[in-house]
Amino acid sequence: MTPDAPTGPDRTPATLPLPPMKWDAWGDPDLAKPLSEDIRALLEQALGVTPADHPAPTAQEVVLRPSALSREDLDALAGIVGAAHVSSHDADRLPRAGGKSTPDLLRRRSREVQDAPDAVVLPGGEDEITAVLALCAERRIAVVPFGGGTSVVGGVDPVRGGFTAVISLDLRRFDRLESLDEVSGEAVLGAGLTGPQAEALLAARGYELGHYPQSFRYATVGGFAATRSSGQNSAGHGRFDDMVRGLRVLTPSGAIDLGRAPASAAGPDLRQLFLGSEGTLGVITAVRLRVHPTPAVKIHEAWSFPDFATGAAALREVEQQGTGPTVIRISDETETAINLAMTDRIGGAQVTGGCLAVTVFEGTPEQAAARHLRTREVLLAAGGTSLGEEAAKAWEHGRFNAPYLRDSLLTAGALCETLETATSWAGLAALKAAVTSALEDALRESGSSALVMCHISHVYPTGASLYFTVVAAQQDDPLEQWGRAKRAAGDAILAHGGTITHHHAVGTDHLPWMTREIGDLGVRILRAVKDAVDPAGILNPGKLIP
């Protein structure tokens, strides 16, 4: 129980382990840092952000919508998983009331009545999940599979969708390394393992998964699979779905175990139905993944390019030649300048402007050195200037901490949020310009100047992703303010050949664009699959499928 969990004579003690993250912010409260006076002054001068804190309510002050589950419902759930693993206590419901997007955090700061799951259920075995799904289908109770709670697109919002109630099905007890096949280089990991837990279990045997999204410290293996996560090492190891060799899924219609061999021609690959399904088609309980020996060495090198176009072309050349960096990414001029505004040196390297790029190489000493040399030759020929290793090491050291800065910005009266997309190399510049303009124009119409930063976070031979960070002064209704900007950006993305999401997934936030993304027939296909595996429609309603 958190120290500020609500208590009172009408409440029984909370019984369930809480997620590791603070209920109204990102991550570990001990890692949160207040804004410096220099940053506050910069926000006020550049964007008109009032440098005064806007305190949020404490957990005791939050009012949740009362649980809609009857005592009979709770007793039936307890009969399946045990009384110690079911709770309708507010202290357990509140941390599962949504994800960690800016709108989620703004809603957490409200003193109005807030939605939350009607109960939290922690199954300990697949037979328990099967029984819970059967009970919920019979009693018309919606089920939201819950991992680390890091969704930034409404993916774990407790949407009832016309059902009588909704439960959060927390998978954290599925936390084992089930097997490791060192000959094949495959491991079976429980869906409830967090990134650090999975890596620690593998490291003890000399192996690594190497999947490091920004949510790494808190997100789970099942969540990675359900959202088609893409980690910061994707240039070297691929996206999470590239690593998946098999998975076990429980649906209201039965269980399915997919992935018999490294490759198959036995019809369409059914794994792809569940990768990215966001808990709407089934509950992922275990994932069989490609793993590799723990890298012996890492080599870091940062680069400066005179402008984003030159840097993007350099990254394209690296990827299309296949020179093998584990990490390669570049910030645009604005993002680089903001980093410089916080310090005149990045990781000890003097940077005077332009665009900062980061490269990392892993493997045996010989492999890493060879990849580094080949990549270095390409980047030098493409107009890059080496900054040495310190800036790249500094990026790696702090790469999971950006959400803490967002929390501080929100508290100080700034609106800060991210969004991402991807497109071909040929369309990259036009898409970046269109999204930037859409965000700036929409926020200007709501009365705010905006700072729009961008970086290439993942590269492919035919294209790349663009990751945008937006900062503006909060207006009277910041939820509507961001909603208007998000709608403008989403429309610009689809109009200029981008995907509505590259790695954040669909959830509720991207649902309005899904029909345009996959077409009417694509929607009908998803609905048909949903009807087959979840006839009652209880699994994560209101997400993914229009």
Side-chain angles (χ1 to χ4, degrees):
M1 185 186 297
T2 54
D4 55 0
T7 57
D10 59 339
R11 293 188 173 98
T12 57
T15 58
L16 304 185
L18 293 176
M21 290 198 288
K22 194 170 185 291
W23 65 274
D24 63 343
W26 181 267
D28 182 350
D30 292 338
L31 296 180
K33 294 182 179 180
L35 299 177
S36 69
E37 290 304 315
D38 288 343
I39 295 177
R40 287 176 177 269
L42 177 64
L43 290 170
E44 184 174 17
Q45 294 166 11
L47 300 175
V49 174
T50 303
D53 287 345
H54 298 259
T58 64
Q60 292 96 328
E61 296 172 313
V62 172
V63 179
L64 297 183
R65 200 174 304 281
S67 175
L69 289 169
S70 67
R71 173 49 55 188
E72 182 185 4
D73 293 328
L74 293 169
D75 288 345
L77 289 167
I80 296 171
V81 302
H85 299 120
V86 178
S87 175
S88 59
H89 192 284
D90 285 359
D92 294 316
R93 296 168 62 209
L94 181 58
R96 284 92 167 178
K100 296 298 181 180
S101 69
T102 289
D104 287 326
L105 299 186
L106 289 171
R107 284 190 285 269
R108 294 293 84 77
R109 293 162 186 255
S110 171
R111 285 177 164 80
E112 301 297 321
V113 176
Q114 298 187 24
D115 285 324
D118 295 296
V120 179
V121 179
L122 272 71
E126 293 185 350
D127 57 339
E128 293 181 0
I129 293 179
T130 298
V132 167
L133 294 180
L135 177 74
C136 289
E138 176 188 346
R139 301 195 178 195
R140 293 194 54 75
I141 299 170
V143 178
V144 179
F146 191 96
T150 62
S151 172
V152 292
V153 292
V156 293
D157 285 1
V159 176
R160 286 182 173 82
F163 293 94
T164 59
V166 57
I167 65 168
S168 176
L169 190 73
D170 194 312
L171 277 295
R172 68 186 56 250
R173 293 175 68 196
F174 287 74
D175 59 356
R176 295 195 302 112
L177 169 61
E178 295 188 12
S179 65
L180 174 63
D181 179 347
E182 298 188 46
V183 175
S184 305
E186 293 183 341
V188 179
L189 296 170
L193 285 167
T194 64
Q197 288 172 335
E199 292 295 3
L201 289 170
L202 290 170
R205 304 281 292 274
Y207 285 84
E208 179 193 58
L209 178 59
H211 184 68
Y212 297 107
Q214 195 169 73
S215 60
F216 167 75
R217 290 172 175 157
Y218 305 102
T220 61
V221 167
F224 295 151
T227 59
R228 288 189 181 275
S229 174
S230 191
Q232 295 165 345
N233 289 17
S234 65
H237 303 313
R239 293 163 58 95
F240 192 80
D241 47 334
D242 295 327
M243 304 175 185
V244 173
R245 292 294 175 263
L247 65 167
R248 202 156 60 240
V249 187
L250 304 182
T251 82
S253 295
I256 188 165
D257 203 327
L258 298 167
R260 296 178 63 87
S264 172
D269 188 349
L270 294 182
R271 291 174 301 180
Q272 300 304 320
L273 285 174
F274 296 97
L275 292 170
S277 62
E278 301 181 32
T280 64
L281 303 180
V283 180
I284 298 170
T285 59
V287 187
R288 191 171 80 252
L289 292 151
R290 180 191 72 217
V291 296
H292 55 265
T294 304
V297 299
K298 284 187 180 182
I299 299 174
H300 302 77
E301 188 165 23
W303 295 81
S304 179
F305 288 88
D307 53 63
F308 188 72
T310 301
L315 266 62
R316 175 178 60 81
E317 190 75 14
V318 165
E319 180 63 14
Q320 290 179 344
Q321 288 195 24
T323 62
T326 304
V327 176
I328 186 165
R329 53 198 287 126
I330 186 169
S331 295
D332 71 359
E333 293 88 345
T334 304
E335 188 167 277
T336 300
I338 292 301
N339 287 331
L340 289 172
M342 297 181 184
T343 174
D344 62 351
R345 302 176 73 83
I346 299 178
Q350 188 69 44
V351 184
T352 58
C355 295
L356 177 68
V358 168
T359 59
V360 182
F361 306 84
E362 295 180 346
T364 65
E366 297 78 13
Q367 290 170 338
R371 293 168 184 166
H372 177 219
L373 178 61
R374 291 174 62 200
T375 303
R376 199 171 197 279
E377 290 171 346
V378 174
L379 295 181
L380 285 170
T385 300
S386 175
L387 300 175
E389 65 178 13
E390 290 305 317
K393 286 185 173 180
W395 167 82
E396 186 177 68
H397 177 74
R399 63 177 168 168
F400 303 131
N401 294 334
Y404 293 106
L405 175 60
R406 180 194 57 173
D407 291 345
S408 298
L409 288 168
L410 291 176
T411 300
L415 180 70
C416 180
E417 184 58 304
T418 63
L419 58 88
E420 38 70 64
T421 181
T423 191
S424 65
W425 288 112
L428 200 72
L431 180 61
K432 180 177 183 293
V435 175
T436 299
S437 295
L439 290 166
E440 290 174 343
D441 292 347
L443 288 165
R444 187 181 303 111
E445 289 172 4
S446 67
S448 298
S449 298
L451 187 66
V452 180
M453 297 165 274
C454 183
H455 64 262
I456 291 176
S457 56
H458 307 274
V459 295
Y460 307 93
T462 60
S465 68
L466 293 171
Y467 190 99
F468 295 87
T469 302
V470 188
V471 183
Q474 288 184 30
Q475 300 300 313
D476 292 339
D477 187 348
L479 278 170
E480 171 54 29
Q481 180 188 8
W482 174 247
R484 181 184 301 180
K486 177 71 172 181
R487 290 189 293 273
D491 289 344
I493 286 170
L494 268 293
H496 289 80
T499 176
I500 195 60
T501 176
H502 171 263
H503 58 269
H504 281 172
V506 177
T508 59
D509 290 9
H510 293 141
L511 197 62
W513 292 277
M514 273 299 284
T515 301
R516 291 168 61 187
E517 175 90 17
I518 64 174
D520 291 332
L521 179 57
V523 172
R524 294 204 302 274
I525 291 170
L526 286 181
R527 288 177 180 167
V529 175
K530 174 78 168 174
D531 289 342
V533 298
D534 181 20
I538 59 170
L539 286 172
N540 214 7
K543 323 290 169 54
L544 180 65
I545 306 172

